[in-house]
Amino acid sequence: MLIQNSILQNLARGTLAAAALLLMASATAANAAGIAPSGEVYTADENGSSVTRVDLASGKATTIPVSVAPHNVQISPDGKKLFVVGMKMVMNVHGHGHDGTQGTLLVFDTASFGKADPIEIEVGEHPAHVVVTPDGKRALVTNSEDNDVSVVDIASSTVTASIPTGEFPHGLRVAPDGREAYVADVQEGTVSVLDLAAEKEAAKIAVGKAPVQVGFTPDGAQAFVSLRDDDKVSIIDTKSRNVVGRVAVGDGPIQVHATPDGRLVLVANQGTEEKPGDTVSVIDVAKREVVKTLKTGPGAHGVAVDAKGGFAFVTNIYAGTLSVIDLSRLEVVATVKVGEGPNGVTYSE
């Protein structure tokens, strides 16, 4: 897709108007081909203590401050609630300085995003990721310093259980059937398999160095695990709970996400702050190999895919941007300026 150089230059200067124009230019060209991005994308802007909502149809980006340094965001299955997790500064009783930090889950009503305060729920130390069960009844939060997962009853806004995991749990995803959650234990080199009915760890699978995130194929038959320090992705057969393959990807892979048709898995390669990665590896699930590498922006981290499998969305931490990928052509078609240090990302229809 051709985008005018003037728009790209304006975007480099970080103006919100340029970001909107760029996304709308991409949408217009995509419309000509019968495909256009729609819905909304939310990013967790950890370094800016903010959350950004991007309206894909108009290109409008709205960034609001939040009370935490958010590392991850997740939309509910019905799209009505947005979950944001991170560390919150706790002020002392005199209102000067702070006594430390508190892991906090924020729950926003998407209809009043930016207009009403969210519900705040205390979770554990150094919360990293939040996911919602397919029935929309529970949220699960990894607490990296506590080596457990908080189970939150969404209706009552209370933590009802804590499930022990391996060392330093980070990314997690719920299996499509809702029965299990897979948790990447960074410091243990394992994935904890959580039985969500029994609310306990049912198994532990050795996967490789520094597993960071997990992504299931839509049928739940396979789970892909990013190995940050191996520059690979491990593939787990969920029935046998065995690693059945590994695929070499870019430097410092972080988030992984399968397309709805189960053909592809996208892997964001963040690299390091000293040597940022700026690519997304596209894995062909059947071939178990990278079939294309796309250049996004410095610090590629979070990955989300729209419900129809038309577009993918990648946060670039060091650039403060969101890349939009046309999955039909496997091309980056737009870049949108968001908040500072965007990590997690989620899509809503």
Side-chain angles (χ1 to χ4, degrees), residues 106-164:
L106 307 180
V107 185
F108 287 88
D109 183 334
T110 55
S112 58
F113 178 79
K115 300 176 183 178
D117 292 334
I119 296 170
E120 295 194 4
I121 304 168
E122 289 188 4
V123 288
E125 287 298 309
H126 196 163
H129 277 229
V130 56
V131 295
V132 182
T133 54
D135 61 10
K137 294 182 178 180
R138 291 180 290 177
L140 309 176
V141 177
T142 49
N143 303 306
S144 297
E145 296 292 345
D146 289 338
N147 297 330
D148 65 16
V149 168
S150 293
V151 180
V152 178
D153 178 79
I154 294 174
S156 63
S157 300
T158 58
V159 174
T160 57
S162 294
I163 307 174

